Amino acid sequence: MPTTKIYHNPRCSKSRSALALLEERGAPFEVIRYLEDPPSAKELLQIARLLGIKPAELARKGEKLYKELGLADQQLTDKQWAAVLAEHPQLIERPIVVTGGRAAIGRPIENVEAILDR
């Protein structure tokens, strides 16, 4: 079973670049199309912990939905942020690669290279 996961959106060029990098490396990995199969709030809390950030920092603040939901004006707890992102996966930054107890957001792709090269 692969220990590397990529939370992937095939419509995103950065996500496709990260997927190509994983394919080049040749190690087994699991592709999670997070828009179709969203991570749970619990998984998002774990991912944020591995990234060393707050769940709020996983949100794509430039998305129209972010503004429509009024998220910039709300004071949410980490658990509440994780729940919002699980319910609205289009707000999750992409791509996210998780491997060996580490995680990286692939913007820029060098972030992913750094965790793969450890």
Side-chain angles (χ1 to χ4, degrees):
M1 180 152 178
T3 59
T4 301
K5 295 180 181 182
I6 179 171
Y7 292 84
H8 177 60
N9 177 349
R11 294 182 61 202
C12 170
S13 64
K14 300 291 185 191
S15 195
R16 290 191 307 269
S17 294
L19 183 64
L21 176 65
L22 292 174
E23 289 170 344
E24 284 174 21
R25 297 292 176 108
F29 61 91
E30 177 183 0
V31 176
I32 300 165
R33 290 182 161 209
Y34 69 92
L35 294 175
E36 299 164 15
D37 184 19
S40 68
K42 183 178 177 180
E43 288 174 288
L44 288 163
L45 287 169
Q46 174 70 8
I47 290 168
R49 187 185 66 74
L50 292 174
L51 288 165
I53 63 174
K54 296 283 199 181
E57 295 173 78
L58 283 172
R60 296 174 52 84
K61 294 169 180 60
E63 289 290 322
K64 181 180 175 185
L65 180 60
Y66 184 90
K67 292 172 182 65
E68 289 173 357
L69 294 174
L71 294 171
D73 303 324
Q74 297 184 40
Q75 297 296 321
L76 302 178
T77 66
D78 289 349
K79 286 183 179 181
Q80 289 171 322
W81 269 110
V84 167
L85 294 171
E87 185 177 344
H88 304 285
Q90 63 271 40
L91 292 175
I92 300 171
E93 275 291 352
R94 62 185 183 258
I96 299 172
V97 175
V98 178
T99 188
R102 298 177 307 275
I105 297 173
R107 292 174 178 267
I109 194 69
E110 289 80 12
N111 293 344
V112 175
E113 290 173 342
I115 67 166
L116 295 176
D117 290 340
R118 285 188 180 172

